[in-house]
Amino acid sequence: MKGGAQSGTTAGRGRLSDGTRLTTEVVFETLSSRRRRYILHYLRQVDDSVAIRDLSEQLAAWESHIDRRDVTPKQRKRVYTALHQTHLPMMDRVGAVVYDKDRGTVTMTEDLQTFDVYLDVVSQDDIPWSQFYLALGAVLSALVAVAALGFPPFSYVGGFGYALFVAAGFTLVGCVHTLRDRRTLVGTAATPAEVEPPREIVEDM
C-alpha cells in the first residue's frame, strides 16, 4: 500500500482504537451501505490515498450509471456531502479506512481483505449455490447407492470409476463457482457488481 495517512481513531491497520480486529458485526454494518461498498471497491482499485473529490465523482458516476466525465457538479456535491458527513467518519471510526479530514483524503487499511466478501446474487430463475451443491450431492449419492445395490447398467462401473466421477464433478462445479464469484469480489472488476456499464460503453462492445 502506498498511502500513509493516519487519523486519530485508526493507525491504518484495520483495527479499532483498542487494537482489536474488525468484528463480523462491523464488517456487515459497513457493507450494508451501497456507497460504502463502492468506497471499498474504488480503494482496492486505486491502492493509494485518494482525494474525496475524486472518490465522490466516481461514486456519482456509478450511482447514476454514467461515465465519470459526464458527472455534473451537483451530482458530485451530493455524494461528497454524504461521504464527508456520514460514511467516511463511520468507516474511519471502525478502522475500515483512514480518513484524513484536513487533507481531504481517504486511504484503505492493511486489513481491507476482511471485506473480501462474495455476494451470492440469485436471479429469479436461479437457485443459491448452497442448494445447488446439496442437490448435486444428493444425485451423486443416489447414483452410487444404486450402483452398490447391483442395478444394471450402473453396476457395470467399478468403485474407482464412481469415485473419480464424483471428484471430477465437484471439482468442475467448484471451478465454475469460483470464477463466477470472482466477478463480485470487491475491487476486482472495473465497476462494482451492482453497476451496469454506461450505455455508450455497452454499445461499443
Side-chain angles (χ1 to χ4, degrees):
M1 185 181 68
K2 303 173 185 177
Q6 296 185 353
S7 72
T9 58
T10 62
R13 303 186 65 84
R15 294 171 174 80
L16 303 180
S17 57
D18 60 0
T20 59
R21 298 184 67 86
L22 295 172
T23 64
T24 302
E25 289 76 14
V26 169
V27 171
F28 278 116
E29 180 184 0
T30 304
L31 294 176
S32 65
S33 168
R34 184 181 63 177
R35 276 183 177 168
R36 291 196 287 269
R37 294 194 297 272
Y38 287 178
I39 292 172
L40 295 176
H41 189 96
Y42 186 68
L43 290 178
R44 285 293 297 270
Q45 288 187 322
V46 176
D47 192 24
D48 199 356
S49 295
V50 299
I52 309 303
R53 177 185 177 88
D54 295 335
L55 178 63
S56 59
E57 186 176 76
Q58 181 61 76
L59 265 61
W62 284 339
E63 292 180 358
S64 301
H65 301 281
I66 59 177
D67 192 80
R68 182 171 172 174
R69 64 176 178 271
D70 297 326
V71 173
T72 65
K74 182 178 181 180
Q75 291 173 320
R76 181 186 58 79
K77 181 64 176 180
R78 183 175 63 251
V79 176
Y80 181 94
T81 301
L83 296 184
H84 177 73
Q85 295 181 351
T86 305
H87 298 293
L88 292 179
M90 175 269 176
M91 296 176 73
D92 179 83
R93 184 175 65 254
V94 303
V97 301
V98 179
Y99 176 37
D100 191 323
K101 295 182 180 180
D102 296 332
R103 296 182 179 179
T105 61
V106 58
T107 308
M108 71 177 187
T109 64
E110 295 178 3
D111 289 340
L112 191 59
Q113 63 266 23
T114 305
F115 294 92
D116 282 353
V117 177
Y118 292 96
L119 305 177
D120 193 6
V121 181
V122 182
S123 64
Q124 184 176 1
D125 300 326
D126 201 358
I127 63 173
W129 279 99
S130 57
Q131 296 182 20
F132 180 83
Y133 280 114
L134 179 61
L136 178 63
V139 171
L140 294 177
S141 297
L143 179 62
V144 173
V146 170
L149 292 174
F151 292 99
F154 304 103
S155 59
Y156 299 158
V157 180
F160 178 78
Y162 278 107
L164 181 61
F165 177 74
V166 171
F170 274 103
T171 301
L172 178 61
V173 173
C175 290
V176 174
H177 191 179
T178 300
L179 292 174
R180 175 188 176 277
D181 281 348
R182 280 188 174 276
R183 300 174 184 174
T184 58
L185 185 64
V186 172
T188 301
T191 58
E194 302 156 292
V195 178
E196 295 180 358
R199 181 175 303 176
E200 61 270 19
I201 296 180
V202 175
E203 293 175 349
D204 293 339
M205 295 178 60

